[in-house]
């Protein structure tokens, strides 16, 4: 029979890779907890309107990348392409703001029908935070600093924080007119995708990766010059606070972000080690989104880190411990049953026990025990069985001769056995 494969862009995360993921999740969870962010888990499947209304019809995500289908009740459903819309929907639906909850974090798979390549998949994973109902630019800095600190505590130092202000919707309306004027005169010099965006989403042209368009845009009018006084003051305050905290940043006037709902602060954290997919974290302020999804007028800011890109950047020092405490070498009809019984009881007492079920020779089982990184091997064969004993062997002992390397103990004395294994 022919072999089945995963869908294109849907990637298995294998046991030898999972240690990196778990290490990141552990550090992130700790950090979110210390900062008072509460976890929220929303469904992978939502009504399509949630994303078309919040992300915007004219964006790449809604226009080209969503996994949308009708369910058996003929409702249009979409696999979530990002987390913010779902979190805001859940917060509004359950009235969490009025219950005093404002800081949330989430993690899990997202789905976008994109062209798969290194650092770009169709099912990928994000961890992200959302901070709702706090308008102050200090909140923007707190949120940006969380991403910055998280990445640094994972050992990533070679990162750039890119920053821009998108102003208010009025600022952008004003800028849109200026930009369109300027672009219309240069229409023929734009790449095909950007020409299409002239009608739908002209600001996104600034984000084009096409080299010719990029070099043309160097002389385009700047969004910064269209900011009203209040927006400029806000942006200055943000930059000042980052400077006080010692978080370096680079201004990027062409950073517009992909989704329609952003305003004021927009930022990305990039790494030069990721090739074309350089952005590991993206985020910004989205005042108005809560209201747009039927909630009370309230502000919001958040970011999302792409886990696959983050894991690509990690070095091997960031692995969660995955070796068992004990490797159980066992062979013989009765010995194997006894081994299973002891393994269960040791596991219930909190030890990680890998039970060899191969029935291979003792030599082979010992080689596996050595490879798996366990501290101890327990040995139980016919001889030990008939004496009512188990043998213990310290596998990764130091050169210190005072450390016991091999000893025998009663197979019925679980407490004695545990005392050795925990030593
Ligand atoms: P890009 O410009 O790379 O497509 P984006 O602006 O579409 O990114 P966001 O929606 O801001 O990305 O998502 C936040 C982060 O999630 C990105 O910075 C990236 O690390 C990650 N990400 C987004 N799309 C993918 C994908 N298809 N595969 C893997 N990671 C992704
Ligand atoms: Mg994208």
């Amino acid at each position: 029979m022919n072999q089945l494969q995963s869908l294109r862009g849907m990637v298995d995360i294998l046991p030898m890779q999972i240690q990196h993921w778990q290490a990141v999740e552990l550090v992130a969870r700790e950090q979110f907890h210390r900062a008072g962010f509460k976890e929220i888990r929303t469904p992978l499947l939502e009504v399509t309107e949630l994303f078309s209304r919040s992300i915007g019809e004219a964006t790449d995500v809604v226009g080209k990348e969503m996994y949308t289908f009708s369910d058996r009740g003929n409702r249009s459903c979409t696999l979530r392409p990002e987390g913010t819309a779902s979190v805001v929907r859940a917060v509004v639906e359950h009235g969490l703001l009025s219950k005093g909850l404002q800081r949330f974090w989430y993690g899990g798979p997202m789905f976008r029908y994109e062209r798969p390549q290194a650092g770009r998949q169709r099912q990928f994973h994000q961890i992200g935070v959302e901070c709702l109902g706090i308008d102050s630019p200090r909140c923007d800095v707190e949120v940006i600093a969380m991403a910055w600190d998280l990445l640094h505590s994972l050992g990533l130092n070679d990162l750039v924080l890119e920053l821009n202000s998108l102003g208010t919707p009025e600022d952008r309306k004003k800028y849109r007119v200026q930009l369109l004027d300027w672009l219309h005169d240069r229409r023929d010099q734009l790449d095909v995708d950007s020409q299409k965006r002239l009608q739908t989403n002209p600001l996104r042209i600034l984000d084009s990766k096409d080299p010719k368009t990029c070099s043309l845009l160097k002389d385009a009018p700047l969004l910064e010059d269209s900011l009203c006084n209040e927006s400029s003051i806000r942006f200055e305050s943000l930059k000042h606070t980052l400077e006080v905290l010692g978080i370096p940043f680079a201004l990027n006037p062409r950073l517009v972000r992909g989704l329609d709902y952003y305003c004021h602060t927009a930022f990305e954290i990039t790494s030069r080690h990721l090739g074309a997919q350089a952005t590991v974290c993206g985020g910004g302020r989205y005042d108005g989104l809560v209201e747009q999804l039927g909630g009370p007028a309230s502000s919001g800011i958040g970011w999302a880190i792409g886990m696959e890109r983050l894991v690509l950047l990690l070095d091997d020092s960031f692995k969660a411990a995955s070796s068992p405490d004990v490797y159980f070498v066992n062979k013989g009809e009765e010995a194997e049953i006894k081994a299973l019984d002891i393994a269960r009881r040791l596991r219930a007492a909190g030890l990680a026990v890998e039970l060899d079920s191969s029935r291979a020779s003792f030599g082979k089982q010992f080689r596996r025990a050595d490879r798996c990184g366990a501290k101890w091997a327990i040995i139980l064969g016919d001889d030990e069985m008939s004496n009512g004993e188990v043998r213990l062997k310290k596998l990764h002992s130091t050169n210190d001769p005072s450390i016991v390397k091999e000893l025998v103990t009663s197979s019925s004395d679980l407490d004695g056995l545990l005392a050795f294994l925990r030593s």
Side-chain angles (χ1 to χ4, degrees):
M1 200 142 11
N2 67 330
Q3 199 185 324
L4 299 176
Q5 294 190 330
S6 66
L7 286 166
R8 197 163 127 77
M10 308 278 173
V11 178
D12 297 310
I13 307 166
L14 301 175
M16 46 282 208
Q17 299 155 341
I18 212 78
Q19 288 163 283
H20 288 111
W21 288 72
Q22 290 176 344
V24 174
E25 285 157 8
L26 204 72
V27 173
R29 220 171 256 278
E30 249 314 293
Q31 194 189 325
F32 296 149
H33 168 70
R34 287 199 298 261
F37 280 68
K38 309 280 186 233
E39 185 179 5
I40 183 163
R41 298 186 191 186
T42 62
L44 301 192
L45 205 56
E46 298 270 6
V47 291
T48 303
E49 189 190 348
L50 173 64
F51 304 113
S52 50
R53 224 204 279 177
S54 59
I55 299 173
E57 298 275 6
T59 58
D60 282 354
V61 171
V62 173
K64 309 197 266 204
E65 297 173 358
M66 292 205 304
Y67 279 88
T68 297
F69 60 93
S70 291
D71 71 5
R72 288 169 193 275
N74 236 355
R75 282 169 290 257
S76 178
C77 306
T78 294
L79 280 170
R80 66 180 186 191
E82 53 105 51
T84 306
S86 303
V87 171
V88 171
R89 195 246 335 118
V91 166
V92 171
E93 189 172 330
H94 302 283
L96 298 186
L97 287 178
S98 65
K99 296 186 173 108
L101 289 169
Q102 294 181 306
R103 292 155 199 262
F104 305 92
W105 74 268
Y106 63 86
M110 307 293 161
F111 303 84
R112 297 185 194 176
Y113 196 82
E114 301 195 68
R115 197 168 65 80
Q117 51 201 291
R120 192 175 294 285
Q121 299 173 184
R122 291 182 173 170
Q123 175 176 326
F124 61 100
H125 298 77
Q126 291 183 333
I127 46 170
V129 303
E130 312 295 349
C131 191
L132 300 172
I134 309 173
D135 184 37
S136 148
R138 241 77 65 212
C139 177
D140 301 35
V141 177
E142 184 188 357
V143 164
I144 294 174
M146 275 183 71
W148 188 252
D149 293 343
L150 173 59
L151 294 169
H152 278 78
S153 57
L154 290 166
L156 311 184
N157 297 310
D158 205 3
L159 299 169
V160 178
L161 167 62
E162 297 184 25
L163 202 60
N164 194 20
S165 172
L166 303 177
T168 61
E170 290 73 41
D171 297 340
R172 279 207 302 285
K173 224 178 272 167
K174 210 167 92 189
Y175 176 63
R176 195 171 184 272
V177 175
Q178 278 183 24
L179 182 68
L180 271 176
D181 264 1
W182 191 88
L183 287 172
H184 269 302
D185 297 341
R186 294 159 182 84
R187 194 194 164 86
D188 300 340
Q189 300 171 57
L190 293 173
D191 61 285
V192 181
D193 260 355
S194 296
Q195 287 185 8
K196 280 189 211 142
R197 288 196 174 119
L198 277 174
Q199 268 85 47
T200 56
N201 199 350
L203 255 65
R204 286 284 283 150
I205 297 175
L206 296 177
D207 203 27
S208 168
K209 308 269 189 304
D210 181 86
K212 252 181 72 195
T213 304
C214 283
S215 87
L216 176 72
L217 287 169
K218 285 203 177 92
D219 304 319
L222 293 177
L223 178 51
E224 201 177 336
D225 298 330
S226 298
L227 295 185
C228 66
N229 203 26
E230 206 184 309
S231 297
S232 300
I233 293 173
R234 195 186 164 96
F235 195 33
E236 287 310 313
S237 159
L238 174 79
K239 290 187 276 186
H240 172 71
T241 315
L242 283 169
E243 275 161 9
V244 173
L245 296 194
I247 299 177
F249 57 86
L251 295 179
N252 177 355
R254 266 178 284 281
L255 191 135
V256 286
R257 311 272 308 126
L259 320 181
D260 272 359
Y261 54 55
Y262 287 110
C263 63
H264 295 298
T265 311
F267 67 95
E268 289 189 353
I269 301 178
T270 54
S271 164
R272 62 189 172 83
H273 303 293
L274 282 173
Q277 271 59 251
T279 308
V280 65
C281 173
R285 181 161 277 285
Y286 48 82
D287 303 344
L289 179 62
V290 180
E291 204 174 6
Q292 207 172 322
L293 293 178
S298 42
S299 49
I301 177 161
W303 51 251
I305 286 178
M307 283 289 286
E308 280 77 7
R309 295 186 197 174
L310 172 54
V311 167
L312 281 175
L313 289 171
L314 286 184
D315 89 25
D316 274 351
S317 56
F318 270 94
K319 276 190 186 167
S322 75
S323 306
D325 301 307
V326 177
Y327 194 91
F328 211 134
V329 174
N330 62 110
K331 192 170 163 64
E333 201 66 38
E334 282 181 53
E336 284 163 28
I337 297 173
K338 184 73 184 166
L340 187 54
D341 177 44
I342 296 175
R344 267 182 89 203
R345 289 198 270 151
L346 292 176
R347 287 171 185 158
L351 292 181
V353 181
E354 196 162 324
L355 183 66
D356 194 310
S357 329
S358 67
R359 317 188 99 181
S361 68
F362 282 109
K364 267 195 183 152
Q365 293 195 37
F366 269 122
R367 278 197 291 284
R368 283 197 208 117
D370 267 328
R371 271 202 309 268
C372 82
K375 248 169 53 188
W376 287 96
I378 303 183
I379 303 108
L380 184 56
D382 290 336
D383 291 350
E384 289 80 11
M385 202 51 208
S386 56
N387 296 334
E389 291 169 349
V390 290
R391 275 192 301 137
L392 299 182
K393 192 174 175 203
K394 195 143 192 172
L395 293 172
H396 291 280
S397 56
T398 62
N399 292 328
D400 182 351
S402 65
I403 292 181
V404 184
K405 287 206 174 158
E406 191 158 342
L407 52 91
V408 178
T409 182
S410 158
S411 62
S412 54
D413 177 13
L414 192 75
D415 288 342
L417 192 56
L418 276 169
F420 282 123
L421 295 174
R422 288 188 171 134
S423 62

